[in-house]
Amino acid sequence: MATKAFVAASAPNAGFRRVYVWEFPVRLYHWVNALCVTVLCVTGYLIGHPLAISYSSEAYQQYWFGTVRFLHFVTGFVFFFNFLVRIYWGFVGNEYAKWTNFIPRQRSQWREMIEVLKVDILQVRVHRFITLGHNALAGLIYFLSFLAFLFQSLTGFALYSSMSHAWLPRMFAWITPIMGGDFAVRQWHHVFMWFFILFVLVHVYLVFYHDYIEGRGTTSSMVGGWKFDSDKPNE
Ligand code: HEM
């Protein structure tokens, strides 16, 4: 209501200003991707290590493994198209969503990477200024993870091409012989699952770490889109 908005706008803000960083398509992509990666890792793990459950009924009366595989394939399609939408948004989105944040092309980006390494990893220096979008190192790591998304989609569709007549997976059938056959593709597809698991662990840790150290709303920004900026150096 108008009264509440007025109170919020006039409340003392301790020198911080709100900046709309993550647009709705970026937030939607982020949460769809998080859900897909979780479902794909759980179902993928089960496909790789099926549970040895014994039932009193006949095997043909069970379909749980079929359901696990079905879930994996459907989520694989959602994961792939969601990824394509994010690539598109990298060309039309705001300055924080642009593809230029992910590929270091300027000397200043490399300098920032060294600074982030010194502050976050080596902890030999205290932060001076904070980037609002991705810092240069995070951007580069997201770029490498986009390559992993691509690899996982290519190998996933290559595996799926042998069990589907649909044009999309069939387009990737050529990958299997190039990679040395079905077994090799499956093994690489499996190995990359561990990249996703590691990525999620480190990613969630760093979000909470930055939120705690910087106090600029890192965690909630992926829900509402807003972060808080200040011209003052961080204490
Ligand atoms: C985050 C992304 C993904 C992860 C972590 C993941 C993980 C896995 C794992 C661990 C396996 C079992 C491999 C084994 O040990 O035998 C598997 C199988 C498979 N995945 Fe994925 N996957 C992902 C994305 C995709 C995508 C995008 C597709 C495309 C449709 C796909 C299609 C398949 C297929 C067809 C199989 C073989 C299933 C079978 O033979 O029963 N995956 N996946």
Side-chain angles (χ1 to χ4, degrees):
M1 274 164 25
T3 332
K4 276 191 186 157
F6 175 73
V7 171
S10 62
N13 57 17
F16 285 101
R17 57 175 181 277
R18 253 160 51 111
V19 184
Y20 190 56
V21 176
W22 310 127
E23 299 159 293
F24 179 69
V26 172
R27 282 157 22 228
L28 184 66
Y29 153 80
H30 176 273
W31 292 114
V32 170
N33 192 46
L35 184 69
C36 287
V37 168
T38 309
V39 173
L40 286 165
C41 286
V42 172
T43 52
Y45 185 85
L46 285 171
I47 294 169
H49 300 273
L51 297 173
I53 312 174
S54 40
Y55 294 95
S56 52
S57 52
E58 289 294 333
Y60 74 89
Q61 288 167 325
Q62 308 294 325
Y63 198 65
W64 77 267
F65 197 69
T67 309
V68 167
R69 290 180 74 221
F70 176 71
L71 254 177
H72 192 85
F73 305 152
V74 170
T75 316
F77 275 78
V78 176
F79 172 80
F80 178 66
F81 283 105
N82 189 45
F83 173 48
L84 292 189
V85 170
R86 181 62 185 90
I87 293 178
Y88 166 72
W89 203 255
F91 291 94
V92 298
N94 70 8
E95 60 175 301
Y96 305 104
K98 278 262 161 25
W99 66 270
T100 45
N101 291 290
F102 301 99
I103 303 172
R105 296 158 309 127
Q106 289 158 4
R107 197 177 279 239
S108 60
Q109 286 169 301
W110 289 103
R111 255 191 262 118
E112 193 189 338
M113 270 188 236
I114 294 171
E115 158 131 354
V116 174
L117 273 176
K118 283 186 182 161
V119 174
D120 289 358
I121 312 290
L122 304 173
Q123 306 202 332
V124 291
R125 187 156 156 194
V126 178
H127 242 306
R128 298 249 179 84
F129 290 97
I130 292 168
T131 12
L132 264 186
H134 305 300
N135 67 53
L137 184 64
L140 179 66
I141 290 172
Y142 290 136
F143 176 65
L144 297 180
S145 54
F146 285 165
L147 294 183
F149 288 9
L150 187 66
F151 181 85
Q152 202 68 342
S153 304
L154 294 182
T155 49
F157 280 120
L159 287 171
Y160 197 52
S161 67
S162 62
M163 30 184 137
S164 165
H165 297 294
W167 63 269
L168 180 62
R170 298 295 315 157
M171 263 174 44
F172 299 94
W174 54 272
I175 291 169
T176 311
I178 285 185
M179 285 183 68
D182 224 39
F183 185 74
V185 178
R186 236 185 125 129
Q187 220 163 14
W188 279 111
H189 195 71
H190 188 117
V191 167
F192 266 69
M193 173 188 70
W194 290 105
F195 163 81
F196 283 86
I197 293 173
L198 249 169
F199 177 87
V200 170
L201 290 175
V202 175
H203 177 75
V204 173
Y205 166 76
L206 282 176
V207 168
F208 291 163
Y209 168 85
H210 281 276
D211 200 320
Y212 181 72
I213 299 287
E214 298 168 357
R216 306 288 176 99
T218 310
T219 312
S220 64
S221 70
M222 213 25 102
V223 179
W226 301 91
K227 279 192 177 179
F228 300 92
D229 195 19
S230 159
D231 296 328
K232 286 189 290 184
N234 212 36
E235 286 124 26

